[in-house]
Amino acid sequence: MVWFGAVMAVVVLVGSMASYAFHARAHYEAIDRALLNAAAATAADPAASAHLGHLTARQGVAMTLRVYDAGGQLVQRLPDDAAPAVDPRVVLARPAGPAYGFFPGLAPSIVDVPQGITGAFATLHDGHQRWRVFVHPVERGGDATGAGPGYVVALAPLGGLDASMADFRVLLTGLGALGLVVAVAGSWAVAGSALRPVARLTEAARAIAASRDLSRRVQAAGRDELAMLAATFNEMLESIETAYRLQQRFVSDASHELRAPLTAILGNLDLLRRRPDLPPEEQAQALEEARREAERLSRLVADLLALARADAGVPLVRKAVDVDAVVLDAFQEARRLAKGQQLVLDPLEPVRIQGDADRIKQLLLILLDNAIKYTPAGGRIVLGLQDAGGDAVLTVADTGVGIPAADLPHVFERFYRADPARSRDPGGTGLGLPIARWIVEQHGGSIAIDSAPGQGTTVTVRLPGTGAGAVQGAGAATAAAS
């Protein structure tokens, strides 16, 4: 509003000055033209001095004409001449500038001085008003009366025009000031109305920061840019609230998961401390249980560290990877973990992509470990790798217990386990699938799960490749797998 008011003030000032300059110069130069024409007409005709009144009437401007001889003595004047005394020789010796002030001088002139006319202008003051004077010397065999050289003097009163210009200045000043006040008041009202949503945003942000209540929202009305800003601010609040609640849930779940193995370890160690006379079998059982819980705790900490790296945006070190070799390595390791399940590798096609071999192996072990845990003995688990136009398509299909449809949208949430079977898993951490999704996203790929209770689960992972096609050594890997 302040800047707008300053700009408007400059515009009004410049506009008022320009209007006054053009208006004033036009009127004052019109009088100068009339004086010049009347004096030139009188000097051109020696007999014109007898018709001075007629000459002044023809100019359309109130004026009077005088004729002086070469010595500066008044020879002829009109009967109603009330102009002040003039010495034409002094005027010619010291000519004056225009009758208007400085600002009108900035406007272009509109007076065309005829060729061959000489003379000088002056501005006099008789105590009541100003007079504009033009002295035209007569350079011929006789003066204006035909007797000899002399001067023709034309005079016009400026009192009426000066008063009119004064009123015009007051009018321009008043209108400019009024326009400026209206413009500033209008800009104040418009700015206040336009910035009111910003004030609400500020108050809401301050209140949310003070109360830490992320459920509050800003009222967004209209369809202008500020309404869009308010809507975006609400979306940001919703995103922050969701992230905050997920963080709270994650901390709570992590604390619970860490507390369970620590409690078991401390319980077994306390039992051994208080009962040194326990039979060797019971001591070995307590130590084995403590060891299992310590291993679970180690896996949980490793998974939490991986997720922390994911949340911190730590990128993977990507290089050319023979995915078929990684799949074969993970298959051999998973086969040692099987507990009566049948593991099959089919198909195994050579594929090379840009990625992190260790993370791809971790991804496969997570999926295979889940399949082994939830597939009963005698079940079948199939691991496959296909080349889909240069992309690596990994599949892990099992004939296990499956996942209910209501739980499928949540399987990638941290510490989430689908009921009922998965909630009874004592060795899992609930972080495997979230880590698997992070690995896939870091490779720019996609992961999908298709499952139904009692019908098994199929996980499909697609990793974008380099389009290099088959790689050397893939045939040997295939032969070893078969």
Side-chain angles (χ1 to χ4, degrees):
M1 187 277 297
V2 172
W3 276 105
F4 179 76
V7 171
M8 281 299 300
V10 173
V11 171
V12 169
L13 178 61
V14 173
S16 299
M17 290 172 57
S19 298
Y20 178 77
F22 280 98
H23 187 72
R25 181 158 188 165
H27 283 76
Y28 282 106
E29 288 192 344
I31 293 178
D32 286 354
R33 183 188 296 107
L35 293 177
L36 189 148
N37 291 336
T42 303
D45 185 3
S49 60
H51 308 286
L52 294 180
H54 177 68
L55 290 172
T56 58
R58 289 173 54 186
Q59 302 305 317
V61 175
M63 68 170 65
T64 185
L65 285 171
R66 296 176 182 175
V67 178
Y68 291 82
D69 61 17
Q73 298 296 318
L74 181 61
V75 174
Q76 187 178 359
R77 64 188 299 180
L78 293 175
D80 56 350
D81 187 351
V86 176
D87 187 344
R89 296 171 298 179
V90 175
V91 173
L92 291 173
R94 293 193 297 272
Y100 44 78
F102 170 72
F103 291 125
L106 300 178
S109 174
I110 61 173
V111 174
D112 296 326
V113 179
Q115 294 291 333
I117 297 181
T118 59
F121 283 99
T123 304
L124 307 178
H125 200 291
D126 63 358
H128 300 285
Q129 64 176 339
R130 296 194 307 159
W131 288 80
R132 188 64 170 168
V133 179
F134 179 69
V135 175
H136 178 50
V138 180
E139 301 291 343
R140 53 186 172 78
D143 59 15
T145 63
Y151 307 94
V152 177
V153 179
L155 304 93
L158 298 178
L161 182 56
D162 287 344
S164 176
M165 289 297 104
D167 294 340
F168 186 56
R169 288 194 298 269
V170 173
L171 178 63
L172 283 179
T173 302
L175 290 177
L178 178 62
L180 182 61
V181 170
V182 171
V184 171
S187 65
W188 178 277
V190 172
S193 175
L195 295 178
R196 197 169 294 117
V198 177
R200 289 199 297 266
L201 282 173
T202 304
E203 293 174 1
R206 186 179 293 112
I208 292 171
S211 63
R212 296 186 179 181
D213 182 9
L214 297 177
S215 63
R216 298 186 59 175
R217 296 294 182 268
V218 179
Q219 296 297 325
R223 296 183 179 180
D224 58 1
E225 288 79 1
L226 291 176
M228 294 173 60
L229 174 62
T232 304
F233 185 75
N234 287 336
E235 293 176 0
M236 181 190 68
L237 286 177
E238 184 176 356
S239 176
I240 294 176
E241 182 184 13
T242 301
Y244 179 69
R245 294 189 184 282
L246 289 176
Q247 182 186 32
Q248 286 183 318
R249 176 181 171 183
F250 176 74
V251 171
S252 176
D253 292 343
S255 301
H256 175 76
E257 294 290 340
L258 289 171
R259 182 174 56 192
L262 287 175
T263 301
I265 292 172
L266 290 175
N268 284 285
L269 293 178
D270 187 58
L271 175 63
L272 294 175
R273 182 181 62 81
R274 289 187 294 104
R275 297 285 303 278
D277 56 341
L278 280 176
E281 309 84 42
E282 295 184 10
Q283 291 183 5
Q285 183 179 0
L287 289 173
E288 177 62 22
E289 183 177 354
R291 185 191 64 79
R292 288 198 305 268
E293 293 298 331
E295 290 178 351
R296 180 187 174 194
L297 183 62
S298 177
R299 290 195 302 271
L300 179 60
V301 172
D303 290 345
L304 288 174
L305 178 59
L307 290 176
R309 289 170 58 86
D311 293 338
V314 178
L316 301 182
V317 179
R318 303 177 65 176
K319 57 183 180 180
V321 177
D322 294 331
V323 184
D324 49 323
V326 177
V327 169
L328 180 60
D329 188 17
F331 177 79
Q332 298 291 353
E333 186 170 333
R335 195 159 55 180
R336 292 192 294 268
L337 301 176
K339 300 176 182 179
Q341 299 88 351
Q342 179 187 4
L343 268 68
V344 179
L345 183 59
D346 181 44
L348 181 63
E349 299 179 359
V351 186
R352 169 171 286 185
I353 67 170
Q354 289 290 327
D356 188 321
D358 292 337
R359 291 299 183 185
I360 295 176
K361 181 180 178 181
Q362 182 183 12
L363 164 68
L364 292 171
L365 289 177
I366 290 173
L367 299 180
L368 290 170
D369 182 61
N370 278 348
I372 292 171
K373 286 178 182 177
Y374 304 118
T375 301
R380 179 183 173 90
I381 300 173
V382 180
L383 171 63
L385 169 63
Q386 292 178 296
D387 182 356
D391 294 349
V393 178
L394 300 163
T395 55
V396 177
D398 63 60
T399 58
V401 298
I403 305 173
D407 295 317
L408 277 177
H410 307 286
V411 294
F412 291 109
E413 296 179 7
R414 298 175 183 183
F415 296 110
Y416 184 86
R417 297 194 186 99
D419 293 327
R422 297 177 187 266
S423 61
R424 297 194 298 268
D425 170 29
T429 64
L431 299 175
L433 287 179
I435 294 175
R437 182 176 65 174
W438 169 68
I439 295 173
V440 172
E441 290 175 348
Q442 285 293 301
H443 285 81
S446 61
I447 182 171
I449 298 180
D450 183 19
S451 181
Q455 298 181 11
T457 301
T458 300
V459 182
T460 303
V461 175
R462 190 182 189 97
L463 303 178
T466 61
V471 297
Q472 294 181 355
T478 305
S482 59

CSV table of all heavy atoms in Angstrom, one decimal, residues 104 177 336 362:
chain,number,residue,atom,x,y,z
A,104,PRO,N,5.3,25.6,-17.2
A,104,PRO,CA,4.8,25.6,-18.6
A,104,PRO,C,5.9,25.7,-19.6
A,104,PRO,O,5.7,25.3,-20.8
A,104,PRO,CB,4.0,26.9,-18.6
A,104,PRO,CG,3.6,27.1,-17.2
A,104,PRO,CD,4.7,26.6,-16.3
A,177,ALA,N,-4.9,15.8,-4.9
A,177,ALA,CA,-4.9,15.3,-3.5
A,177,ALA,C,-6.0,14.4,-3.2
A,177,ALA,O,-5.9,13.3,-2.5
A,177,ALA,CB,-4.9,16.5,-2.5
A,336,ARG,N,19.3,-73.6,2.7
A,336,ARG,CA,19.8,-74.1,4.0
A,336,ARG,C,18.9,-73.7,5.1
A,336,ARG,O,19.0,-74.3,6.2
A,336,ARG,CB,21.2,-73.5,4.3
A,336,ARG,CG,22.3,-74.0,3.3
A,336,ARG,CD,23.7,-73.7,3.8
A,336,ARG,NE,23.9,-72.2,3.7
A,336,ARG,CZ,24.4,-71.6,2.7
A,336,ARG,NH1,24.7,-72.3,1.6
A,336,ARG,NH2,24.6,-70.3,2.7
A,362,GLN,N,19.8,-59.0,-0.2
A,362,GLN,CA,19.0,-58.8,1.0
A,362,GLN,C,17.5,-58.8,0.7
A,362,GLN,O,16.7,-59.4,1.4
A,362,GLN,CB,19.4,-57.4,1.6
A,362,GLN,CG,18.6,-57.1,2.9
A,362,GLN,CD,19.0,-55.8,3.5
A,362,GLN,OE1,19.6,-55.0,2.9
A,362,GLN,NE2,18.6,-55.5,4.8
